């Protein structure tokens, strides 16, 4: 579409009824896009089954306009934006579930406690084991690990904050411990490890997946298996942010519903690429620009029906060439369909009447000489080939195409 038309559509784009929005905003801060968001989020888990590891983390949708639940996160590149909880497959980064954080409640009686555990329970609803959840110290707690294991059969691997009351004192103190050393604590269902990556500093990890005897990895640092597994599966959502930011349809806007909608389009395009790659593993094998090629093809497929409806050719050469190509494709498809219908009619007529002894051959008309290009169907040709020729046989004076001709020298023709 023209750029002016695009800006006009973006300016007028709405996702709800503005007449009733004020009443809905009193109980729902996401009222401006709630219906679209819920319907989209409901479809995400229906199309893909995650692998053995799922990552739960936060995503920041860049936005600096006015919004009551805009967040400031200095660790993120954008720093300001809308926080979205996401559950992604650790290997493919497919977004399995998403939830927008709308800020703290205004009433003191509705203040949320243990928000991290509630988010993980919401994002893993419908996920059946055996499956492991990898999350950071904002979400991880012993109570969450116990609930996931007992209620859903899911294991947890994640870092733990040192202010948790259930942590033993022996694992919290790192003074005097050797660098790259580890201490372990066990319950019947969980394992806790304290690893010292540097002097006088340690990191704590909780796991219900590594409940057996402790094992250390190879090398001088000798990291426990819990840390190696956490490092291998913690980047599902971070990888999604990198990939979505590489090819994005985001545009500058002052309306937060439109910023959310742009993120919906970006995530949907990436999820579609993951599904395409899973269904066609041989497609562009070994190429490094597969996602770019997929997005170009996806965009072409989406805009082709709209381009074909244009009455005038666009001014740019690329757009005009696309319109002409679409017109040629439509005319070729129409002619092929008409020819197929004609062939079917001829076959039905031959079956009805048969080939009698007095019936003349349909291609037996002997022309007097070469003239206008005509269609010819010989002994070796079918109508579907649609061959055209001006060449006439010197013996029977029938039109013949290039595939029907055989080359002979003068001695072989007149021995």
């Amino acid at each position: 579409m023209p750029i002016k038309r695009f800006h006009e559509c973006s300016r007028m784009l709405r996702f709800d009824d503005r007449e009733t929005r004020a009443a809905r905003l009193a109980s729902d801060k996401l009222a401006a896009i709630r219906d679209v968001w819920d319907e989209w989020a409901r479809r995400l888990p229906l199309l893909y089954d995650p692998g053995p590891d799922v990552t739960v983390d936060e995503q920041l949708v860049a936005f600096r306009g006015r919004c009551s639940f805009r967040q400031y996160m200095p660790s993120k590149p954008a720093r300001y934006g809308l926080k979205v909880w996401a559950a992604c497959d650790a290997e493919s980064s497919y977004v399995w579930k998403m939830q927008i954080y709308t800020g703290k409640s205004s009433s003191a009686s509705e203040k949320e406690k243990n928000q991290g555990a509630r988010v993980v329970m919401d994002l893993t609803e419908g996920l059946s084991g055996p499956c492991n959840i990898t999350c950071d110290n904002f979400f991880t707690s012993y109570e969450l690990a116990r609930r996931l294991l007992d209620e859903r059969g899911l294991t947890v691997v994640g870092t733990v904050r040192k202010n948790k009351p259930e942590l033993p004192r022996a694992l919290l103190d790192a003074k005097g411990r050797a660098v790259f050393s580890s201490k372990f604590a066990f319950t019947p269902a969980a394992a806790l490890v304290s690893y010292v990556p540097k002097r006088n500093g340690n990191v704590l990890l909780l796991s219900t997946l590594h409940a057996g005897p402790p094992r250390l990895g190879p090398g001088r640092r000798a990291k426990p298996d819990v840390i190696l597994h956490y490092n291998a599966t913690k980047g599902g959502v971070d990888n999604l942010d990198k990939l979505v930011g590489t090819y994005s349809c985001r545009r500058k806007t002052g309306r937060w519903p439109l910023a959310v909608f742009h993120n919906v389009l970006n995530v949907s395009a990436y999820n579609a690429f993951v599904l395409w790659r899973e269904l066609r593993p041989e497609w562009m094998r070994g190429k490094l620009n597969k996602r770019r090629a997929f997005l170009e093809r996806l965009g072409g497929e989406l805009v082709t029906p709209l381009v074909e409806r244009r009455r005038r050719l666009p001014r740019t050469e690329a757009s005009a060439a696309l319109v002409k190509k679409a017109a040629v494709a439509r005319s070729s498809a129409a002619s092929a369909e008409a020819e197929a219908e004609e062939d079917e009619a001829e076959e039905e007529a031959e079956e009805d009447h048969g080939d009698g002894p007095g019936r003349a051959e349909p291609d037996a008309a002997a022309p007097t000489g070469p003239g206008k290009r005509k269609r010819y169907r010989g002994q070796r040709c079918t109508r579907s080939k649609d061959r055209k020729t001006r060449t006439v046989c010197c013996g029977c004076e029938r039109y013949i195409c290039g595939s029907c001709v055989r080359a002979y020298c003068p001695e072989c023709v007149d021995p």
Side-chain angles (χ1 to χ4, degrees), residues 275-327:
L275 295 175
W276 177 273
R277 187 178 57 190
E278 293 289 340
L279 295 175
R280 296 168 176 83
E282 298 297 330
W283 182 71
M284 295 185 66
R285 179 179 291 274
K287 301 293 184 179
L288 300 179
N289 61 334
K290 288 190 288 186
R291 183 161 175 255
R292 180 188 180 96
F294 172 80
L295 291 177
E296 291 178 353
R297 182 172 178 179
L298 174 63
E301 294 289 341
L302 291 175
V303 303
T304 296
L306 302 177
V307 170
E308 292 177 351
R309 287 167 21 192
R310 297 194 64 164
R311 298 180 180 178
R312 299 179 181 177
L313 289 178
R315 288 178 293 179
T316 60
E317 295 182 1
S319 300
L322 183 61
V323 174
K324 293 178 181 178
K325 183 178 179 181

Side-chain angles (χ1 to χ4, degrees), residues 210-227:
H210 307 81
R215 293 185 301 174
L216 301 180
R220 181 176 62 89
R221 299 189 177 186
K223 293 183 179 180
D225 281 357
V226 179
I227 297 181

